[in-house]
Amino acid sequence: MWFFFFIVTLVALVALHFWWRAKFLAQQNQTMEEMEIFQKQTQQTSVDAKAQQQILFNSMLEGLLLLDRNKKIYLANRAFTEFFNLKADLRGKTLVEVLRLHELDDLLQRVETEQQVFGHEFKLPDLGDRWLQVNASVITNSANEREGTILVFHDLTRLKQLERQREEFVANVSHELRTPLSLIKGYTETLLDGARNNPEVAERFLKIIERNTNRLDLLIQDLLTISALESGRMKLELAPVNLHSLAEKIFFDLGSKAETKTISLVNEMPELTAKGDTNRLDQVLANLVDNAIKYGRVNGSVIVGGKKLPKGGVEISVRDDGPGIPPEAIDRVFERFYRVDKARSRDQGGTGLGLSIVKHIVHAHGGEVWVESELGKGATFFFTLSTVENIASQ
Ligand code: ADP
């Protein structure tokens, strides 16, 4: 009896052990599975965070470079690789391995000693006229130990271009003002020194003074127009403009100037109506016709024409049969103060700003302006404008 009882208890204990063991193993498996899921989630979160960080860094306009404590690249964003035209994966390499730029090597050495360098500017060799500004700083941890270096690069190219344009503009304006001013000054002094006592000489000198005063006046008017156009202060009063009548009016205004060179003015403009600011379009066409007369040949002709464009809008042309424009100057004649023949332009009372004003006004109307020319056979200036229907359908 006791033996039977003992056997039953033993069997029960063994069964309990296996049941408990199976349960324990199942629980252990579940815990392991849960741990695996948790680990995967944590890894995913860290991958997501890294990807987001990368997207953020790559969307920056500034170039960003992070070096670790061994001066190896830890992170370089897209702007940085684009600035320096780098393609390969840079991580883990030293700066010297990827870029041979002594400016940057010197900068890194300065950061080592000064801890921070702000506003260091340099021009990139062999990569166009690109200017960069770098701010660099050593990164330290809470124990003030050096962890790495951060460098932020700003593209200064546009700013430098504007600075250079402004300097050139000031130099050009000063130069343009100096010539008539020194003539006015010189002839006034000669008159005061006694030339005024000879009426014939006095009149000649006064005429020179008057001509140069007019030139100054014209230059200042043109400068004010350019400044108003460039700053966007000039508001266009848009209305339908009859282009045939506009050409007729300009021919009337410039008729006597054309006569002095026996140039015939031909109005081939059809009855077209454009949408524009009458006074400004008058200025554009007058400038082009005036140039065609100024630079055209004696006994020649100036023809104003126009046509509707298939894609909408109109194209206006001013053609002369003068000496034309050399190919190397074609793209430059619309620049401020650019002249093919400086002496000739000044002789004709030109300010060198006419075509720049034309370009600004046409662009303000949303049109295009260009010139075609064959040396010795004349030049044709073209510009486009929207028509009334064209604007209404937009
Ligand atoms: P400018 O006051 O000197 O005429 P513009 O800006 O009107 O200044 O013209 C710039 C230059 O383009 C002129 O100096 C001249 O050399 C050249 N140019 C303009 N129009 C003509 C033309 N119809 N034929 C030949 N050259 C021209």
Side-chain angles (χ1 to χ4, degrees):
M1 177 67 189
W2 279 107
F3 179 74
F4 177 72
F5 184 69
F6 173 75
I7 292 295
V8 168
T9 310
L10 194 68
V11 169
L13 276 174
V14 168
L16 191 70
H17 167 79
F18 280 109
W19 173 78
W20 184 83
R21 194 182 143 86
K23 194 176 166 176
F24 173 78
L25 281 177
Q27 253 178 6
Q28 203 182 26
N29 276 348
Q30 195 184 347
T31 315
M32 295 251 299
E33 267 170 30
E34 278 171 3
M35 270 176 66
E36 246 172 59
I37 291 171
F38 177 72
Q39 249 177 4
K40 271 188 191 151
Q41 275 175 348
T42 318
Q43 271 171 1
Q44 189 57 42
T45 316
S46 121
V47 168
D48 286 352
K50 267 197 178 155
Q52 273 176 359
Q53 209 178 43
Q54 198 63 36
I55 291 170
L56 189 79
F57 287 147
N58 283 343
S59 64
M60 284 170 65
L61 289 179
E62 290 83 14
L64 178 74
L65 182 70
L66 278 178
L67 302 178
D68 63 18
R69 64 177 68 151
N70 300 318
K71 295 187 189 148
K72 297 215 163 131
I73 297 174
Y74 175 74
L75 187 145
N77 74 348
R78 187 176 302 148
F80 175 83
T81 51
E82 280 173 7
F83 282 163
F84 295 97
N85 219 0
L86 298 168
K87 286 192 179 67
D89 185 18
L90 308 179
R91 216 183 141 111
K93 294 183 181 150
T94 61
L95 205 52
V96 187
E97 282 172 331
V98 294
L99 265 177
R100 298 228 157 263
L101 216 58
H102 76 89
E103 285 279 357
L104 281 185
D105 302 338
D106 294 351
L107 178 74
L108 281 179
Q109 274 176 10
R110 260 186 76 193
V111 185
E112 287 298 306
T113 46
E114 295 171 28
Q115 305 291 298
Q116 282 183 332
V117 176
F118 287 128
H120 180 82
E121 291 179 11
F122 67 97
K123 193 171 159 202
L124 291 181
D126 308 325
L127 287 172
D129 255 352
R130 190 160 255 207
W131 274 90
L132 292 181
Q133 185 193 59
V134 199
N135 295 328
S137 175
V138 160
I139 311 166
T140 49
N141 60 18
S142 51
N144 215 18
E145 290 159 348
R146 201 176 162 286
E147 283 288 327
T149 314
I150 181 167
L151 296 103
V152 181
F153 298 78
H154 300 267
D155 192 349
L156 286 191
T157 315
R158 182 80 192 116
L159 214 68
K160 288 280 177 192
Q161 270 171 356
L162 289 174
E163 220 171 78
R164 202 176 53 222
Q165 278 172 11
R166 191 181 51 79
E167 281 167 10
E168 272 173 19
F169 186 63
V170 171
N172 278 328
V173 171
S174 316
H175 180 75
E176 293 297 324
L177 291 173
R178 199 178 301 132
T179 320
L181 265 180
S182 61
L183 283 169
I184 292 169
K185 189 167 177 277
Y187 282 102
T188 311
E189 281 169 5
T190 322
L191 279 169
L192 287 171
D193 282 350
R196 67 188 151 166
N197 299 324
N198 182 336
E200 246 177 62
V201 175
E203 187 170 340
R204 196 156 50 86
F205 285 6
L206 283 170
K207 279 200 170 134
I208 296 175
I209 291 174
E210 188 193 26
R211 204 170 52 240
N212 281 286
T213 318
N214 287 340
R215 202 168 137 193
L216 279 181
D217 187 33
L218 218 78
L219 185 67
I220 288 164
Q221 275 179 34
D222 278 359
L223 283 172
L224 290 174
T225 312
I226 286 261
S227 138
L229 282 163
E230 287 191 349
S231 65
R233 270 182 286 123
M234 192 175 280
K235 293 277 164 282
L236 298 180
E237 288 179 19
L238 298 178
V241 180
N242 182 306
L243 295 172
H244 182 86
S245 311
L246 184 68
E248 211 51 44
K249 181 207 165 265
I250 284 156
F251 282 177
F252 178 78
D253 293 346
L254 294 171
S256 56
K257 191 169 185 174
E259 264 171 34
T260 58
K261 285 175 84 175
T262 48
I263 288 178
S264 47
L265 302 175
V266 187
N267 188 353
E268 286 185 0
M269 176 69 79
E271 283 296 328
L272 289 173
T273 307
K275 181 138 181 168
D277 182 314
T278 316
N279 291 331
R280 297 293 151 219
L281 292 187
D282 186 316
Q283 208 172 355
V284 168
L285 206 56
N287 249 314
L288 295 178
V289 174
D290 186 50
N291 274 352
I293 299 170
K294 267 192 325 199
Y295 303 108
R297 70 178 174 88
V298 176
N299 294 330
S301 59
V302 173
I303 304 167
V304 171
K307 64 174 184 196
K308 271 193 161 191
L309 294 170
K311 56 181 169 67
V314 283
E315 182 188 279
I316 298 129
S317 61
V318 178
R319 189 165 86 228
D320 67 66
D321 48 7
I325 298 169
E328 68 277 9
I330 289 278
D331 289 335
R332 302 204 56 195
V333 286
F334 295 96
E335 285 174 21
R336 294 184 298 204
F337 295 115
Y338 181 84
R339 292 148 160 139
V340 178
D341 181 342
K342 286 190 177 51
R344 182 151 185 227
S345 157
R346 290 208 179 95
D347 269 3
Q348 306 271 353
T351 61
L353 293 171
L355 288 179
S356 175
I357 293 175
V358 164
K359 181 186 78 179
H360 277 294
I361 297 177
V362 173
H363 285 176
H365 279 81
E368 292 295 322
V369 58
W370 69 99
V371 57
E372 289 172 9
S373 176
E374 203 179 322
L375 213 52
K377 292 199 172 158
T380 309
F381 283 81
F382 298 90
F383 65 99
T384 56
L385 289 173
S386 298
T387 50
V388 185
E389 320 86 69
N390 199 213
I391 290 196
S393 66
Q394 276 172 8

